[in-house]
Amino acid sequence: MTYQEHIEPNFIRPIDPEEFSVVLLGTGTPRAYKGAAKPAVAVIVAGKVFLVDSGGEVVRQLIESGIMPQRIEHVFFTHHHYDHNGGFIDLFISSWRTHVGIIDGRKNAMKVYGPTNTREIIQKYHDALQYDISLRLSYNKSDVDGALIEYTESDNGVLYDQDGVKVTAFEVDHRPVKPCIGMKFEYRGKTVVISGDTRPVENTVLHSQNADLLVHDAYNKAWLDQIAADNPALAIQVTNPAKYHTTTLEAAEIAAKAGVQHLVLTHHIPAPRRTPEAEASYLAGMAEIYQGEITLGRDLMEFRLL
């Protein structure tokens, strides 16, 4: 009997070496919602999978999408709120070739990219794993290089440029969280921009010019205002987090100014129910501002550019 016969079958998504696709792994927020995992986006391009942010359920969401975690060698962080990096410890071990698996795991160092406080924060996660790592190296005889992390940090500038894939960081405004960056992926004349968590900023407009796809965080201001009015004792907790995000209408304005072809909303505050009525209410007024395609992002949605 082979090893494969002992384990649950898994769907492994085929990856065309010529494709350029985006998979929303998590469209939620720090608050836990059913059906909305913590933020993470997989960018599949030139035969590789680049992960943008690593929320708490990221390994499970990768598996659900057919992208086994062993395929992840490049992780990009927009910033270091826990909902964007809390799944890194699980991802680091799950992606490493520490035992026999369905597909080969990562044999090389994990490549981690992000703003200029990334090494300071992610290295603490790595340090917390040292006991586990030492056992896997000494007892499981796992690949030594796979236990390592290589860091690339920048708040503005090119983070990655290989095999025709270029990833550029640009600073956004998520204060008091600072630094925080958005990212632009370019490949064969196609462009994908991921905003990161941010207030509306001209830098997003600048880097999203004529982008094929803009994935932008958004909240519905009217909904939050009503929740605060109905719960005055919690008004600060309800409205303060929204002050460093972008409203649905502001996201539409950014997409219109930049001439984006397709706007995808994520990091929903609050997460709308999966009904046509709730989704229409959440998106109300956007089409009058931006005439391009608008999608209310949901976990495991996929967008293919090439």
Side-chain angles (χ1 to χ4, degrees), residues 193-212:
V193 176
I194 299 171
S195 71
D197 289 4
T198 182
R199 298 175 176 88
V201 292
E202 284 302 312
N203 226 8
T204 307
V205 176
L206 174 65
H207 287 275
S208 300
Q209 288 296 312
N210 302 312
D212 298 277

Side-chain angles (χ1 to χ4, degrees), residues 26-31 37-41 51-58 75-89 91 113 115 118 121-122 125 174 177 180-181 183 194-198 216-217 244-245 266-269:
T27 58
T29 69
R31 184 179 295 276
K38 302 295 191 296
V41 179
L51 184 68
V52 179
D53 289 329
S54 181
E57 302 96 329
V58 67
V75 181
F76 294 76
F77 289 102
T78 60
H79 66 293
H80 293 290
H81 262 146
Y82 100 96
D83 56 318
H84 291 256
N85 66 22
F88 180 77
I89 284 180
L91 176 68
Y113 312 79
T118 295
I121 293 169
I122 297 303
Y125 281 145
H174 195 44
V177 181
C180 183
I181 60 176
M183 293 178 195
I194 299 171
S195 71
D197 289 4
T198 182
H216 207 296
D217 76 318
Y244 51 21
H245 288 282
T266 189
H267 205 287
H268 308 304
I269 309 175

Side-chain angles (χ1 to χ4, degrees), residues 116-263:
T116 48
N117 60 349
T118 295
R119 180 192 295 268
E120 173 191 355
I121 293 169
I122 297 303
Q123 188 59 42
K124 292 174 182 176
Y125 281 145
H126 191 246
D127 291 344
L129 284 171
Q130 287 309 305
Y131 174 73
D132 185 280
I133 288 171
S134 67
L135 292 173
R136 294 179 188 278
L137 290 173
S138 63
Y139 190 77
N140 292 7
K141 305 302 180 185
S142 301
D143 295 277
V144 174
D145 287 350
L148 306 175
I149 297 178
E150 296 176 0
Y151 294 95
T152 301
E153 297 181 321
S154 179
D155 298 334
N156 285 286
V158 176
L159 287 170
Y160 181 94
D161 192 356
Q162 295 179 37
D163 304 319
V165 180
K166 185 177 181 180
V167 185
T168 303
F170 57 93
E171 196 162 11
V172 294
D173 184 1
H174 195 44
R175 290 174 294 173
V177 181
K178 187 177 180 179
C180 183
I181 60 176
M183 293 178 195
K184 176 166 65 174
F185 287 77
E186 298 172 277
Y187 181 67
R188 295 190 175 180
K190 297 290 185 179
T191 300
V192 170
V193 176
I194 299 171
S195 71
D197 289 4
T198 182
R199 298 175 176 88
V201 292
E202 284 302 312
N203 226 8
T204 307
V205 176
L206 174 65
H207 287 275
S208 300
Q209 288 296 312
N210 302 312
D212 298 277
L213 188 71
L214 170 61
V215 180
H216 207 296
D217 76 318
Y219 73 94
N220 187 293
K221 186 177 185 302
W223 286 17
L224 281 193
D225 288 348
Q226 186 61 55
I227 292 170
D230 292 343
N231 302 274
L234 299 175
I236 291 176
Q237 289 90 335
V238 169
T239 58
N240 266 11
K243 293 176 181 177
Y244 51 21
H245 288 282
T246 297
T247 71
T248 54
L249 300 184
E250 289 167 339
E253 291 172 359
I254 289 167
K257 287 180 182 178
V260 169
Q261 290 189 26
H262 188 174
L263 171 63

Side-chain angles (χ1 to χ4, degrees), residues 15-131:
I15 293 178
D16 183 337
E18 303 299 316
E19 79 170 282
F20 188 7
S21 300
V22 172
V23 180
L24 304 182
L25 299 171
T27 58
T29 69
R31 184 179 295 276
Y33 290 105
K34 182 179 179 180
K38 302 295 191 296
V41 179
V43 179
I44 303 165
V45 59
K48 293 185 176 70
V49 182
F50 298 86
L51 184 68
V52 179
D53 289 329
S54 181
E57 302 96 329
V58 67
V59 168
R60 176 56 50 195
Q61 292 298 91
L62 284 165
I63 292 170
E64 289 294 326
S65 72
I67 304 170
M68 300 304 289
Q70 295 95 316
R71 282 176 160 161
I72 306 298
E73 190 170 317
H74 301 270
V75 181
F76 294 76
F77 289 102
T78 60
H79 66 293
H80 293 290
H81 262 146
Y82 100 96
D83 56 318
H84 291 256
N85 66 22
F88 180 77
I89 284 180
D90 188 10
L91 176 68
F92 184 84
I93 297 296
S94 297
S95 62
W96 184 17
R97 190 170 72 168
T98 59
H99 49 74
V100 178
I102 296 171
I103 62 173
D104 272 346
R106 180 174 50 79
K107 306 171 190 176
N108 302 313
M110 176 75 84
K111 280 70 172 179
V112 169
Y113 312 79
T116 48
N117 60 349
T118 295
R119 180 192 295 268
E120 173 191 355
I121 293 169
I122 297 303
Q123 188 59 42
K124 292 174 182 176
Y125 281 145
H126 191 246
D127 291 344
L129 284 171
Q130 287 309 305
Y131 174 73

